[in-house]
Amino acid sequence: TIRFNQTKQHKFIDEDQSVIEYTNGNMIAIKLKPLPRKFTVRYFNDNGTVQVKEVSLDMFTSVQYVINHLIHLHFDPNEEFLNHSAPDPFTLFWCYTSQPEEEHMLSPFKYMSDQSVPRDEGENKVQLILKRHKSLYGTNIWDEREPIVFADENNKDIVSATFNKLVEYATSTEDSNFREIFLLCYQSYSTAEELLHKLIERYHTPMDMLFSDSNKIKLRVCVFVKYWLSTSYEVPSEEVVEKIEDFVKNVVGRELPEVAATLMSTQREVKPKFYFYRKDSLPQGKMRQVLNMTLLDVDPIDFAQQVTLIAFNIFKKIKHTEFFKTAWEKEPEKAKNIVALVEDANDLTKKVMTSILVNEKLKDRAKTLAYFIKVALCLMEIRNYHHMLSIHSAIANISVTRLRFTFEALGKKSKQDYQTIEHFWSFDQNFKNYRDTLRKGECPCIPAIPVILGDIIHNEEVPLRNEAGKINYSRARVLHSNVDMVQRYQSAEYPIKDHPAARAVISDIPRLGEKECYALSQDVLPRNGTEEKDAGSTSMGKRFSHFRDTLNLG
Amino acid sequence: MEGETEERDYKVLVVGEGGCGKTSYINQYVNHIFSKAYKATVGVDFALKQVQWENTRVRLALWDIAGQERFNHMTRVYYKGAHGAMVVFDVTKDKTFQAVPRWKKDIDSNLDNIPTVLVANKCDLLDNPLDTETMEKFCAQHGFIGWYETSAKENIRVEDCGTFLLEHLVKRDRELNPGKYTNTEKTVSLTQASDPRLAAKTCNNSC
């Protein structure tokens, strides 16, 4: 005999739902069969029409199923069968009839009963809203026909491709370098939401695919997601992380529970990339120290090292995002460390110009000039090209170069050394000499930031998409190679000891503005002048005589 | 001899505040492209433009300082030996116009009175043209040889502006070097040009 009894309340089941209990002899099998719940469903078609129907829905089915059910049985029986590749173009929401504008989205991967759809409150009923959204993300990844354009047969560098194809490539290649470039740059032409959407599309392989092939792709998608979750290039918003977790738990979890478990335990720890680098030879600091140290008492190598030590601490803080969208021009607050490093270099330029120009005697000017030529060479030896360039800029500044008698008074060695510097920084072929040196990849090193910024500006000139609408991928590669170079050098610290006495002398060097420097220079050697005067005898020279005291020069 | 042509190389600085479109201006002038189908070539960036001027073959090397604007002194390292200059500003950004006198002064204090033209770029974004009287007064005051409203994007007057500057370069060159004008002395070393034909040519010359 079978008895039908209504049970007491059950924590999983709404109060208003009837539950039937079956008993059969001694064996007691309990089956809970909730009765369907009635809803008013409003269906917004993409052609702007609204259909309203009263529908009974089983709450113990997935939202995905409910959507299918609604579409095929109630609203649009001609719609092709959905879900051959998720996610489908429909979204289900609930709202109170009193607050129709407050729509709450229902996750397609969860059961209706798991999503705390509230009960009706008297006349204030709960309504369902089904919306067909215009395809936000274009062609489904499995329907994409536009092929990737490669450089040529032998060079498999991608020239251009659609986003679909890039995601397809990212989930079919072992090339971790590609993944890196992709993750660094994809947000310049897409969003995290679109990427996730495309990954989910990719995960839902076509029905007719061999199981083993399909499984391989699913695993690759998971590997990519893991990589995405742990990349140091991006911290996805909470919303995106939630969606990723939803996908991992409810889709991957059902098919590949172990993979899903690993993915869920992926910790986002933004750890710096690990680079192998040789510690290439560096000259040792002399650490020379005397009582009442003046500028020229600081050994050139100590000068170079202390400047580098300070600069490296700024350099290593530069974030990859500071190079995006020419932030240092447009939004300097987003590129704080780049701007700080630029200002540090500008500051050194001013110091060098000032210390050469405030000297009283020609002999001392030449001596100071020779000193900075040596410092520039030391900077080159320790591969701080950024500050080497700023000393070069100071010496090549008109206020200094026009003092031809000072240059003539340089020793033979200094003249040669200066030529070396000029040659190294020759603009020919876009700094070919400098670039060739940099290409050796010797560490530690501070590359010249202005050269990097110039390259990035040129790169930004390349449009995001070509005329056929495909993404210009070369752009991403150039940006990545610059960011990667910076990160590589950031990871190689300088083994330099602090030399507080030298540091104090360097930071105390006075700096004059551009105008004052030029005036000082004019004073020492007037236009068409035939000799350089002693600065002490000129008005400007007198004005800045206190700097000489600070520098303990002359 | 029949068909004998002279050859001249001119170095032209293209300066102005960051983001005013210097690089796209050069691309448009040299390659007739605005940001499309442009292949990023790091390693060659001073763009070369070859122009026939009467019986002279002129090579214009345009020097782009993009990326170095923040380095107050660095750009000037490369002023040396320039024959002409363009100061570019963005008509939609007042800040870039305010900076024009500073760039012009930079050029003047480093170089001896070289022909400099003022380029009012991005004019396609402007509803009304700039006031001619004001601009002419501004040019006279700051010693520009002229000004052009251009759009690198729409290729408006980019070529005209270049031709105008070139005319002045040749004129000044003839004044300064009346006797020297026939020789083909090279003033800019060209070992790698953006145009492969140019590169080959230069190589033949220097080998």
Side-chain angles (χ1 to χ4, degrees):
Chain A
T1 53
I2 295 166
R3 283 201 335 256
F4 298 101
N5 276 343
Q6 211 162 358
T7 59
K8 291 170 210 156
Q9 268 191 7
H10 192 283
K11 62 175 178 174
F12 295 121
I13 297 156
D14 283 354
E15 286 167 1
D16 59 347
Q17 289 176 335
S18 308
V19 173
I20 300 163
E21 182 189 295
Y22 302 85
T23 340
N24 187 4
N26 296 334
M27 302 284 290
I28 301 174
I30 298 170
K31 193 166 185 180
L32 308 171
K33 177 146 178 39
L35 292 180
R37 180 171 165 184
K38 257 191 177 173
F39 286 102
T40 307
V41 184
R42 300 165 74 85
Y43 170 53
F44 290 80
N45 202 334
D46 54 355
N47 56 23
T49 56
V50 187
Q51 287 172 270
V52 186
K53 287 202 172 149
E54 294 284 325
V55 177
S56 297
L57 292 175
D58 185 346
M59 295 295 279
F60 282 72
T61 53
S62 76
V63 170
Q64 189 93 64
Y65 179 84
V66 170
I67 292 173
N68 268 332
H69 176 87
L70 288 172
I71 291 298
H72 292 115
L73 290 171
H74 300 278
F75 295 115
D76 199 353
N78 297 326
E79 176 67 42
E80 272 181 56
F81 254 90
L82 302 169
N83 203 23
H84 66 283
S85 53
D88 59 29
F90 298 95
T91 314
L92 195 64
F93 304 86
W94 68 263
C95 70
Y96 284 115
T97 40
S98 62
Q99 293 158 298
E101 66 286 343
E102 254 187 62
E103 295 171 351
H104 307 266
M105 197 184 120
L106 293 162
S107 163
F109 307 116
K110 290 186 188 162
Y111 276 35
M112 288 288 282
S113 52
D114 289 341
Q115 305 203 46
S116 51
V117 180
R119 282 186 295 280
D120 297 341
E121 290 173 353
E123 276 312 293
N124 190 13
K125 296 226 159 62
V126 170
Q127 236 182 19
L128 291 184
I129 296 169
L130 180 61
K131 282 187 183 172
R132 185 191 181 102
H133 36 82
K134 289 182 195 78
S135 182
L136 269 176
Y137 303 118
T139 320
N140 184 292
I141 196 163
W142 292 101
D143 297 330
E144 182 65 61
R145 294 288 172 264
E146 286 294 325
I148 295 177
V149 180
F150 291 100
D152 57 58
E153 293 251 317
N154 305 316
N155 180 359
K156 285 289 173 200
D157 280 347
I158 296 176
V159 175
S160 63
T162 59
F163 189 61
N164 273 335
K165 282 292 169 186
L166 288 178
V167 175
E168 185 191 304
Y169 194 75
T171 51
S172 45
T173 177
E174 301 284 346
D175 184 355
S176 63
N177 197 39
F178 173 84
R179 276 201 299 254
E180 254 213 53
I181 299 175
F182 179 88
L183 283 172
L184 173 66
C185 301
Y186 83 91
Q187 283 183 316
S188 52
Y189 40 75
S190 177
T191 59
E193 283 82 4
E194 186 182 9
L195 175 58
L196 178 62
H197 184 97
K198 289 297 170 190
L199 286 169
I200 298 175
E201 281 185 359
R202 177 84 175 140
Y203 183 88
H204 289 84
T205 50
M207 299 289 194
D208 53 2
M209 195 177 243
L210 279 179
F211 177 74
S212 58
D213 291 347
S214 144
N215 224 32
K216 211 183 273 170
I217 288 168
K218 288 180 183 201
L219 281 173
R220 285 251 165 84
V221 171
C222 294
V223 169
F224 185 89
V225 169
K226 189 179 166 72
Y227 203 81
W228 186 16
L229 286 172
S230 56
T231 177
S232 61
Y233 288 143
E234 184 192 352
V235 182
S237 67
E238 261 173 52
E239 239 185 336
V240 171
V241 171
E242 224 167 78
K243 282 184 183 164
I244 295 176
E245 282 175 0
D246 192 22
F247 163 69
V248 170
K249 259 191 218 153
N250 297 304
V251 182
V252 182
R254 253 179 256 158
E255 282 185 284
L256 309 159
E258 282 148 35
V259 178
T262 342
L263 276 178
M264 291 308 286
S265 65
T266 301
Q267 289 296 310
R268 164 159 299 279
E269 38 177 323
V270 182
K271 50 184 173 196
K273 265 185 287 180
F274 182 77
Y275 286 104
F276 283 107
Y277 58 83
R278 314 182 301 269
K279 276 212 178 83
D280 294 288
S281 65
L282 273 184
Q284 288 291 307
K286 293 237 169 68
M287 303 299 265
R288 188 166 70 196
Q289 198 162 354
V290 293
L291 267 180
N292 299 324
M293 249 172 133
T294 63
L295 176 60
L296 299 189
D297 290 332
V298 178
D299 195 274
I301 185 70
D302 290 337
F303 189 109
Q305 290 206 340
Q306 295 308 306
V307 165
T308 304
L309 189 59
I310 299 166
F312 190 80
N313 284 330
I314 308 171
F315 173 70
K316 72 177 177 196
K317 281 190 281 188
I318 296 176
K319 287 191 216 79
H320 63 281
T321 49
E322 298 191 23
F323 294 104
F324 289 0
K325 296 171 183 165
T326 60
W328 64 92
E329 276 299 337
K330 289 175 187 145
E331 292 168 281
E333 67 282 359
K334 284 193 182 167
K336 279 197 190 106
N337 297 305
I338 288 182
V339 172
L341 201 54
V342 169
E343 262 147 34
D344 192 51
N346 285 339
D347 192 51
L348 181 62
T349 306
K350 273 190 204 158
K351 283 177 179 171
V352 172
M353 281 167 65
T354 308
S355 15
I356 295 170
L357 288 165
V358 296
N359 279 295
E360 180 157 10
K361 305 255 184 232
L362 183 139
K363 180 180 96 214
D364 294 323
R365 274 196 296 277
K367 214 164 139 190
T368 317
L369 177 59
Y371 174 79
F372 281 114
I373 291 173
K374 268 190 215 140
V375 173
L377 278 186
C378 289
L379 284 166
M380 183 165 148
E381 270 182 77
I382 64 173
R383 297 181 285 272
N384 177 353
Y385 302 116
H386 186 66
H387 286 82
M388 180 191 176
L389 184 54
S390 66
I391 292 191
H392 176 42
S393 307
I395 299 177
N397 189 278
I398 186 72
S399 301
V400 179
T401 42
R402 62 186 293 285
L403 301 179
R404 55 184 189 279
F405 299 102
T406 301
F407 275 84
E408 271 166 31
L410 284 177
K412 202 177 159 202
K413 174 83 171 63
S414 297
K415 280 181 185 159
Q416 266 174 10
D417 287 349
Y418 186 55
Q419 272 178 6
T420 308
I421 297 167
E422 277 200 307
H423 178 73
F424 185 79
W425 284 112
S426 152
F427 195 72
D428 284 348
Q429 291 176 60
N430 198 4
F431 303 106
K432 181 171 190 303
N433 300 336
Y434 161 66
R435 284 176 200 272
D436 285 350
T437 310
L438 202 63
R439 205 161 293 127
K440 292 182 199 154
E442 290 174 329
C443 290
C445 167
I446 303 180
I449 298 298
V451 179
I452 297 177
L453 301 187
D455 286 355
I456 289 177
I457 285 182
H458 279 258
N459 192 41
E460 297 274 323
E461 283 290 303
V462 181
L464 282 174
R465 289 168 194 277
N466 65 12
E467 281 158 313
K470 288 189 188 176
I471 294 157
N472 268 328
Y473 206 64
S474 62
R475 200 183 136 113
R477 250 194 323 273
V478 172
L479 180 60
H480 177 264
S481 73
N482 278 296
V483 168
D484 192 60
M485 172 181 72
V486 167
Q487 293 188 333
R488 178 178 300 269
Y489 289 133
Q490 281 176 330
S491 66
E493 293 258 359
Y494 274 96
I496 294 175
K497 286 191 199 92
D498 206 1
H499 185 344
R503 218 184 230 214
V505 173
I506 296 167
S507 79
D508 283 348
I509 301 174
R511 320 131 170 90
L512 289 176
E514 176 103 7
K515 270 188 200 157
E516 284 107 347
C517 279
Y518 194 67
L520 206 50
S521 173
Q522 285 276 344
D523 241 20
V524 169
L525 178 66
R527 250 170 185 261
N528 309 320
T530 50
E531 57 165 355
E532 285 181 28
K533 292 182 229 164
D534 286 351
S537 64
T538 68
S539 59
M540 288 302 280
K542 278 185 194 124
R543 220 175 109 197
F544 296 115
S545 62
H546 58 286
F547 281 163
R548 280 197 290 282
D549 303 336
T550 324
L551 287 169
N552 271 338
L553 294 165
Chain B
M1 243 188 283
E2 206 189 339
E4 191 185 2
T5 51
E6 297 170 35
E7 286 191 7
R8 303 301 291 171
D9 288 307
Y10 295 121
K11 170 176 165 181
V12 175
L13 304 172
V14 183
V15 299
E17 288 295 278
C20 61
K22 295 183 289 291
T23 307
S24 9
Y25 182 89
I26 293 175
N27 284 342
Q28 180 60 269
Y29 182 54
V30 176
N31 306 315
H32 294 296
I33 42 165
F34 179 80
S35 286
K36 60 185 179 192
Y38 170 72
K39 205 172 156 197
T41 334
V42 172
V44 199
D45 85 343
F46 64 82
L48 275 174
K49 169 123 175 157
Q50 193 162 322
V51 191
Q52 190 69 29
W53 186 265
E54 290 162 12
N55 63 342
T56 309
R57 182 178 296 151
V58 178
R59 276 186 295 245
L60 280 179
L62 290 110
W63 287 45
D64 187 356
I65 62 138
Q68 286 132 50
E69 298 89 348
R70 271 187 176 272
F71 293 80
N72 300 333
H73 298 92
M74 204 201 119
T75 49
R76 270 160 262 169
V77 173
Y78 301 104
Y79 282 11
K80 212 163 127 189
H83 301 90
M86 295 178 171
V87 179
V88 186
F89 74 96
D90 175 348
V91 291
T92 64
K93 284 189 207 123
D94 191 50
K95 198 189 82 181
T96 66
F97 181 65
Q98 298 307 327
V100 167
R102 192 169 56 73
W103 286 107
K104 181 65 170 68
K105 233 181 102 197
D106 266 2
I107 295 168
D108 290 343
S109 55
N110 285 272
L111 292 150
D112 191 21
N113 197 23
I114 59 165
T116 305
V117 64
L118 180 61
V119 181
N121 197 28
K122 304 196 188 175
C123 74
D124 56 298
L125 299 176
L126 215 57
D127 297 328
N128 301 308
L130 298 173
D131 180 53
T132 312
E133 205 178 310
T134 320
M135 290 304 288
E136 252 147 40
K137 214 169 133 193
F138 181 86
C139 282
Q141 192 188 340
H142 293 95
F144 285 98
I145 55 167
W147 66 285
Y148 275 83
E149 253 180 299
T150 67
S151 163
K153 193 174 168 209
E154 306 295 335
N155 195 11
I156 300 168
R157 284 183 288 274
V158 170
E159 193 73 38
D160 300 351
C161 179
T163 312
F164 175 75
L165 178 63
L166 182 61
E167 202 178 320
H168 280 78
L169 288 177
V170 174
K171 205 175 111 197
R172 188 163 187 266
D173 194 14
R174 286 187 177 152
E175 279 167 16
L176 291 178
N177 310 301
K180 255 172 90 185
Y181 202 67
T182 43
N183 78 28
T184 56
E185 177 210 18
K186 297 178 72 60
T187 48
V188 180
S189 96
L190 307 162
T191 32
Q192 200 177 346
S194 56
D195 181 344
R197 285 164 304 167
L198 270 183
K201 174 124 192 73
T202 315
C203 191
N204 289 343
N205 283 353
S206 56
C207 296

